[in-house]
Every structure is written in C-alpha cells, then in structure tokens.
Amino acid sequence: MFPKTIAWKDNRVVILDQRRLPDEEVYVECQSASAVTEAIKTMAIRGAPAIGIAAAMGIALGALGIGKKNFTPFYQELSSICKTLKAARPTAINLRWALERMKGVCEANKEKGVEAVKGLLVNEALAILAEDIETNKRIGEQGKDLIHANDTILTHCNAGALATGGYGTALGVIRRAWEDRKGITVIATETRPLLQGARLTAWELTREGIPVTLIADNMAGYLMQQGEINLCIVGADRIASNGDVANKIGTYTLAILAKEHGIPFYVAAPLSTFDRGAKTGAEIPIEEREASEVSTLWGRCLAPQGIKVRNPAFDVTPHRYVSAIITEKGIVKPPFEKRLKQITGKDGG
Amino acid sequence: MFPKTIAWKDNRVVILDQRRLPDEEVYVECQSASAVTEAIKTMAIRGAPAIGIAAAMGIALGALGIGKKNFTPFYQELSSICKTLKAARPTAINLRWALERMKGVCEANKEKGVEAVKGLLVNEALAILAEDIETNKRIGEQGKDLIHANDTILTHCNAGALATGGYGTALGVIRRAWEDRKGITVIATETRPLLQGARLTAWELTREGIPVTLIADNMAGYLMQQGEINLCIVGADRIASNGDVANKIGTYTLAILAKEHGIPFYVAAPLSTFDRGAKTGAEIPIEEREASEVSTLWGRCLAPQGIKVRNPAFDVTPHRYVSAIITEKGIVKPPFEKRLKQITGKDGG
C-alpha cells in the first residue's frame, strides 16, 4: 500500500516529513495554518497535488482558529491566511487551485453562518484529498496502454504517492502497469539538489517491490543512447494552455534527450495542475530557492565556502517536446491547445 | 598560480589528494608503483592527462624498485607493473599513451644497462609532466579566440590544473581568457556522483579569482534556455579517430543541450588523448564504477539501503555534437576524421 502523505486527524494536519525520508518515517503535526505554510515552504511536504491538499487543509485549520462570529471579518481573516499560503511556493498551480476552491465554499455558504462554513471547509479539504487519490487512479487507468510489457521507464523527481494524496501521477501510471504485471523496471533520476528521486521515488517503489534503479541526473542521456530506456513519465507543477509543462528542474533536459533518442516523453497530471490563465510556459513563475540547497548536503559544504550558486527549482518544457499529457479525463496528444481547452473547460484550474 | 597536482620528490610521487578537496589540501606520498595504481583507482588523482603523468611516474618508481641487474628480467618485471597500472582505469587513453612512451624509453636504451634506463625513466616521467603543462598552455593559446568578451562559459567535471600536470585543458582555455581580461564567467556543473565540478573546478577557479557559479547537473538546460550560456568547453578522456569524444558522464547530455540551443560545444584535449586505434566512440570502453559512489555521500546513504544503481563514469559524445576540438597543434573543426589524422600523425596516441 502506498504511504500516507497527509491526513486530517482530530483537527490537526498530520504530514509525513519527506525531508527525513528514507532514513526515518516521521510525521509533522500542524495545528495552525502557519505551521502548514511552513511545512510547504520547507518542503516537509512537496509535489504539486500534495501541496494543493496541504493548502486546503491549512485553510480549514486556519478557519477553525478564527474567533470572529460574523462572516465578513471571518472571511477577511481567512483571505489573509490564503494569501500567506499562496505565497509559500510560487510555481505549483494546485496551491492556487485549492485555495480558490476553498474560498468558493465560503462564498457559496456565507449565509449559513461561520460555524457551518468552518465545518464545510474541513469537509472540502477532506474531499480534495479523497478526490486526488481517485484522480490519480484514473490517471493510471487512462495511461495504462502507454506502458508495454517489460518496459524500462525513466521518471524524474517524485510524482508518486508522496507528491499527491496517494497513488501518484507519473508513479500512478507506473503503479497501474505494475498491478497489471507488465514486468516493468523503473529508472529513477536522483534529482539534485534535494534528491527526491533517490530519497522518495526509490523509497516509495522499493517498499512496494517495484524494481527501481537509481542513477545520477547526468546519466539519463547515456542510458537512452544505449537503448535502455523505453519511455519517460514525469509529473507537472503547472501546465500552460498550450501544453508547456513546468516541472522539477531537469525535466526540460530529459525531454530534449527523449526527443533526440526518439523515446516518448509523457507528462501525467490532474486537471488541477492546468493553468488556463497562462497562455504559454513563459508566464509561469519559476521559484529560485536558497543557494545552500545546492552547495551543502546534510549541513556540510560540498563546494568551496561562499561559492555562488544558481538554484532554479523548476524548468519549463515547451510542448513540442511532450508526446502526450495523461489526465484523469484522457490522454491529450499534440496539438495540445484545442484539446486541452475542451478537457479543462469545466474542471480545470 | 594553479595547484600542484602531482610532483616527483626524492624518489617519491607526491599527489594532491583530490578526494579531500575542497575541505583540505592534503598530499599522498607514493613510494611504489602499486601505491600510485591505488591512487589512480581510488581517484586521489584523476583527469586523463594527470592519470597519464601519474602512470609514468608510477613506472619510474616501479623501475627504481626492481632489483634485477639484467635488462630482460628487469623489463619483464616492469611490463608486469605496466599491465597493473594500465588496468587501473579503462577509459582514459592517456594512461596507455604514457605507459607506451615509458616502455619506448626502455626499448630504445636497453643496451645502456638497467641503472641508466632507470634514470632515463625518471627523466621521461618528469618530461611528460613538464610537457603536459606546456601543452595545456598551448591549448589555451590555440583556443583563445573562441572566447569572446563577457562570455559565460559552461564546463563540466574538472578539466583543469587538477586534471593535468597544471593549467588545464578546458580550464586552460578559460584561464587564458581570464589572463586576457575578457570578463568571463564560468558555470560549473557539480558533476555527480563524485562532484568534481563542485569540489575541484569551483575550488581551482575560486582560488584564482575567476568568477564561477555552481549549478546542479540538471540545471544546464534551463540556463541555456534562458540564454545565459554562450559556449561550453569540456575536456576528454579519449577521442576516437572520427572525433567521437569519451568524457565524464553527463558530457553527452550537455552536448545535445548545446546543439538544441545553438550554443558551441568545444572539447579541449592534448594529442595524447587521441586513440588512433579506435575508429569510433563505440570502441571506447566505458568504466562502470561502484554503486556506493551514487548511493552514498560521505559514508551516508542518500537512498534506501540496498538500492540498485547504475554508475557509468563516462559517456561518448558522437562527433556530430562537437563544434570543434582544441588541441595544442590547432583547432580541429568538422569534418574531423581527415584533419585529426593529419594532426595526430606524428604525436598522437
């Protein structure tokens, strides 16, 4: 069974602390929206869908903590909490999507009174979690025919149970192929600087017995050249209307490599990851994180002290490198724009 | 001044222990050929030209330790030492080149007697070191016009003073541009798994005040996409007759990225790196090193215990991705085969 990334328990948000995997399975208990914001910022929880769920639960927690009896001051305070949460990480659109959904619950139910709204917000956060797991299973179902018997599948970072409510997006498709006994093997790129591939994907797959081999990020080209990779599947942090995909730094490079070697490059993502407001990837903000994430590991410097560093956490893969996007509503192939518009029409972010 | 990678001192080989950089400047003193072999295997010294010099000095040390008075048994024992040294690392051709040059000295001077040959071997090893530094300065001179004012130059791994007798190949061209006050900036990829870019290139450039920015390997594509890289220069461990280049794992990926972005991709290497016996890169053996180099850092596991790992130490970049090869005798541009044959005719490996 896949790990429990996030749960709501006795009016607390319990988060599996991904910074400490694979060494320890430790949980962070958040009792306030600001504790959830901190968990998102410091990447105790990460992955676009998981961040969305955490944000929704953070809002629910925040709502419970507001003393105001009248809706207007209550909603003012809640909006301020939303704003702080929204700024926690700029690239993953699911964060904004979840916050807008939670605000929608407030607005649709304001005449029911603050206490009722609080209960509805908790229910909505729980619904977002439950739906996300179902969505991922549907993504797995939709994508299953893209995986053939004995395929070796390259994945980057972690788009697994740990990046979602459970089951995973890219790893959801992989899980489904494994359940279908297709004899697959996964190649996990370690994903510097924070090693989500080595620490999280390898851990998540290993504990379910799915064969996984770890490589450094710069080895993917070599394995493709040797004919050892059949396809790539990654997740996404935000997808623009034209199909450009923002995802973990290094994704763009893998997509170019895949194209150069004639290997399919698939993106698996729920509709909550689509940003209909962004025409192209150029409009997606790329978070640049602290230098120390690159220059140190476990508190120790791996380069000369004071070294200058660049640390973009994401990159944008132009749609021309993407073979197909696997959503819970079906597989979208190029040309993306029209089909994505249809599919995201009702439920898209 | 560039660091002293390797020196001959009182019949010992003194090697700057690159495994401990940038934390400590510690030297390994080798008193036997087997100690030198171990230093090469465990990468206390690395980089194709530096390995060649170390091998030559290892042979000289080995020769001094042979008690035989007659040439034939002496040469038999020395050949056995050569064989062990040659097997230390399979990809860098300079190792073989240096051993063949040392054996040539034995064969050309056998009638002078064993003691004289021992002295000549020591002199030859010292000559190889001195020539290598001169060669690198000539590579810098030859390549200087490829660097323009204010260029940002991407380099991978370490092809610097530390990879050679001194001054460096790729970093030799960069040093020359710096000496010419061209206002350059260097982007150093950290170069997983052993972090030669973060530990060695960043250290070597920083101590000379050459501006350097560290990135994780998977960030190069993003920076190229943003227009932040003007050109790439890397070293080589072996170059085939058709211009295919074996170099540190990840080089192939960078070359593909450079081509995709229309950025020149240069290889800087001495003629001792050319393997006239290899028609194409397919004939170059790729060393696969221990899993623990990928799955652990500083003795600590960064992935689940027992994880399966691939660890190819090199890859081959087909010549179609190489814009030019910078040698001490000039810049070779495509089509490579004929021109490389001319240039390596007399002095090539």
Side-chain angles (χ1 to χ4, degrees):
Chain A
M1 190 54 186
F2 50 81
K4 216 161 193 171
T5 308
I6 183 166
W8 180 272
K9 196 178 161 193
D10 304 331
N11 291 349
R12 291 195 303 279
V13 179
V14 183
I15 289 171
L16 175 54
D17 190 344
Q18 301 191 26
R19 298 166 300 190
R20 295 168 73 172
L21 287 173
D23 296 338
E24 301 175 297
E25 251 179 272
V26 182
Y27 294 82
V28 177
E29 289 204 2
C30 301
Q31 310 209 25
S32 66
S34 65
V36 173
T37 306
E38 194 59 20
I40 294 172
K41 266 191 190 171
T42 59
M43 296 176 70
I45 188 164
R46 29 62 54 199
I51 290 173
I53 298 160
M57 290 188 176
I59 289 301
L61 264 191
L64 294 181
I66 296 173
K68 310 286 189 303
K69 297 290 172 205
N70 293 323
F71 182 81
T72 306
F74 164 81
Y75 193 52
Q76 258 174 358
E77 201 168 325
L78 196 72
S79 297
S80 149
I81 292 171
C82 282
K83 215 171 156 185
T84 312
L85 261 162
K86 194 177 163 183
R89 296 202 67 196
T91 304
I93 188 74
N94 313 59
L95 181 56
R96 194 178 80 191
W97 170 86
L99 296 177
E100 281 169 7
R101 192 163 148 175
M102 295 298 276
K103 284 168 99 173
V105 167
C106 290
E107 280 160 14
N109 297 283
K110 53 183 163 186
E111 62 298 327
K112 291 183 183 157
V114 165
E115 285 314 304
V117 166
K118 285 179 179 177
L120 291 170
L121 286 172
V122 172
N123 289 347
E124 190 72 6
L126 290 171
I128 287 174
L129 168 59
E131 284 169 25
D132 186 66
I133 299 172
E134 279 315 302
T135 294
N136 292 333
K137 288 186 173 167
R138 259 180 257 135
I139 288 172
E141 170 72 19
Q142 294 286 355
K144 68 178 183 176
D145 293 337
L146 298 176
I147 314 274
H148 303 103
N150 306 312
D151 270 350
T152 297
I153 306 163
L154 182 88
T155 190
H156 186 52
C157 193
N158 173 271
L162 291 168
T164 61
Y167 203 73
T169 52
L171 294 195
V173 179
I174 286 169
R175 272 198 170 81
R176 176 57 191 257
W178 179 248
E179 289 161 11
D180 291 346
R181 301 177 185 278
K182 285 191 176 162
I184 55 162
T185 297
V186 178
I187 305 287
T189 51
E190 63 176 3
T191 319
R192 283 281 293 148
L194 295 180
L195 299 165
Q196 292 94 334
R199 297 190 301 104
L200 309 180
T201 295
W203 177 77
E204 191 180 323
L205 296 179
T206 299
R207 69 201 286 279
E208 286 177 50
I210 303 176
V212 57
T213 298
L214 177 66
I215 60 169
D217 297 310
N218 61 21
M219 294 171 185
Y222 173 78
L223 292 187
M224 290 186 192
Q225 189 187 39
Q226 303 300 308
E228 297 188 36
I229 310 282
N230 299 104
L231 70 151
C232 304
I233 310 185
V234 300
D237 288 81
R238 189 186 303 211
I239 301 175
S241 301
N242 68 343
D244 289 353
V245 174
N247 191 45
K248 178 53 55 196
I249 187 76
T251 302
Y252 173 52
T253 292
L254 294 172
I256 290 175
L257 288 174
K259 192 171 192 192
E260 193 73 13
H261 293 90
I263 295 167
F265 189 86
Y266 300 122
V267 174
L271 294 179
S272 56
T273 304
F274 289 79
D275 182 359
R276 283 189 296 169
K279 282 184 187 161
T280 75
E283 293 172 39
I284 301 175
I286 298 297
E287 177 184 9
E288 187 121 5
R289 293 179 62 86
E290 270 189 30
S292 63
E293 288 186 352
V294 173
S295 60
T296 67
L297 191 65
W298 303 318
R300 182 172 160 186
C301 208
L302 51 77
Q305 295 285 343
I307 185 80
K308 203 179 157 192
V309 164
R310 289 294 301 275
N311 185 18
F314 304 93
D315 57 27
V316 171
T317 300
H319 61 84
R320 68 179 180 278
Y321 297 103
V322 177
S323 309
I325 302 175
I326 309 162
T327 78
E328 66 269 38
K329 284 202 174 172
I331 297 172
V332 186
K333 291 189 176 171
F336 289 110
E337 196 145 357
K338 194 180 163 194
R339 184 77 207 286
L340 283 179
K341 208 169 182 178
Q342 290 169 341
I343 217 168
T344 61
K346 285 182 184 167
D347 303 297
Chain B
M1 191 54 188
F2 50 79
K4 215 160 195 172
T5 308
I6 184 166
W8 179 273
K9 196 178 159 189
D10 304 332
N11 292 348
R12 292 193 304 278
V13 178
V14 183
I15 289 172
L16 176 55
D17 189 343
Q18 301 192 26
R19 297 166 301 190
R20 295 168 74 173
L21 287 173
D23 296 338
E24 300 175 298
E25 251 178 273
V26 182
Y27 293 82
V28 178
E29 290 205 0
C30 300
Q31 309 209 24
S32 66
S34 67
V36 173
T37 306
E38 195 59 21
I40 293 172
K41 265 191 188 169
T42 60
M43 297 177 69
I45 188 163
R46 28 64 52 201
I51 291 173
I53 298 160
M57 290 189 176
I59 290 302
L61 264 191
L64 294 181
I66 297 173
K68 309 288 190 302
K69 297 290 172 206
N70 292 324
F71 184 80
T72 306
F74 163 81
Y75 192 53
Q76 258 175 357
E77 201 168 324
L78 196 72
S79 298
S80 151
I81 293 171
C82 282
K83 215 171 156 184
T84 311
L85 261 163
K86 194 176 162 183
R89 297 203 66 196
T91 304
I93 188 72
N94 312 58
L95 181 56
R96 195 179 79 191
W97 170 86
L99 296 177
E100 282 169 7
R101 192 163 147 174
M102 296 297 275
K103 285 168 97 173
V105 167
C106 291
E107 280 159 14
N109 297 282
K110 53 183 163 187
E111 64 298 329
K112 291 184 184 158
V114 164
E115 286 314 304
V117 166
K118 285 180 179 177
L120 291 169
L121 286 171
V122 172
N123 289 347
E124 190 73 6
L126 291 172
I128 287 175
L129 168 59
E131 284 168 25
D132 186 65
I133 300 172
E134 278 315 301
T135 294
N136 292 334
K137 288 186 174 168
R138 259 179 256 135
I139 288 173
E141 170 72 20
Q142 293 287 353
K144 68 178 182 176
D145 293 337
L146 299 175
I147 315 275
H148 303 103
N150 305 312
D151 271 351
T152 296
I153 307 162
L154 182 89
T155 189
H156 186 52
C157 194
N158 173 270
L162 292 168
T164 61
Y167 203 75
T169 52
L171 294 195
V173 179
I174 286 169
R175 271 197 172 82
R176 176 57 192 256
W178 179 248
E179 289 160 11
D180 291 346
R181 301 177 184 278
K182 285 192 175 160
I184 55 163
T185 297
V186 178
I187 305 288
T189 52
E190 62 176 3
T191 318
R192 284 281 293 148
L194 295 180
L195 299 167
Q196 293 92 335
R199 297 189 302 102
L200 309 180
T201 295
W203 178 78
E204 192 179 322
L205 296 179
T206 299
R207 69 200 286 279
E208 286 178 48
I210 303 176
V212 55
T213 298
L214 176 67
I215 60 169
D217 296 312
N218 60 21
M219 295 171 185
Y222 173 78
L223 292 188
M224 289 186 193
Q225 190 187 40
Q226 302 300 308
E228 298 187 37
I229 309 282
N230 299 104
L231 70 152
C232 305
I233 309 184
V234 300
D237 288 82
R238 190 185 302 212
I239 301 175
S241 301
N242 69 343
D244 290 355
V245 175
N247 190 46
K248 178 53 55 195
I249 188 75
T251 302
Y252 173 53
T253 292
L254 294 173
I256 289 175
L257 288 173
K259 193 170 191 191
E260 193 73 12
H261 294 89
I263 295 166
F265 189 85
Y266 300 121
V267 174
L271 294 179
S272 56
T273 303
F274 288 79
D275 183 359
R276 284 188 296 170
K279 281 185 190 161
T280 75
E283 293 171 40
I284 301 176
I286 297 297
E287 177 183 9
E288 187 121 4
R289 293 179 61 88
E290 271 188 31
S292 63
E293 287 186 351
V294 173
S295 59
T296 67
L297 190 65
W298 303 318
R300 182 171 161 186
C301 208
L302 50 78
Q305 294 285 342
I307 185 79
K308 203 178 158 194
V309 165
R310 289 293 302 276
N311 186 18
F314 303 94
D315 57 27
V316 171
T317 300
H319 60 85
R320 67 179 179 279
Y321 298 103
V322 178
S323 309
I325 303 175
I326 309 162
T327 77
E328 67 269 37
K329 284 203 174 171
I331 296 172
V332 186
K333 292 190 175 169
F336 289 110
E337 197 145 357
K338 193 180 164 194
R339 183 77 208 286
L340 282 179
K341 209 170 180 178
Q342 290 170 339
I343 217 168
T344 61
K346 285 183 185 168
D347 306 296

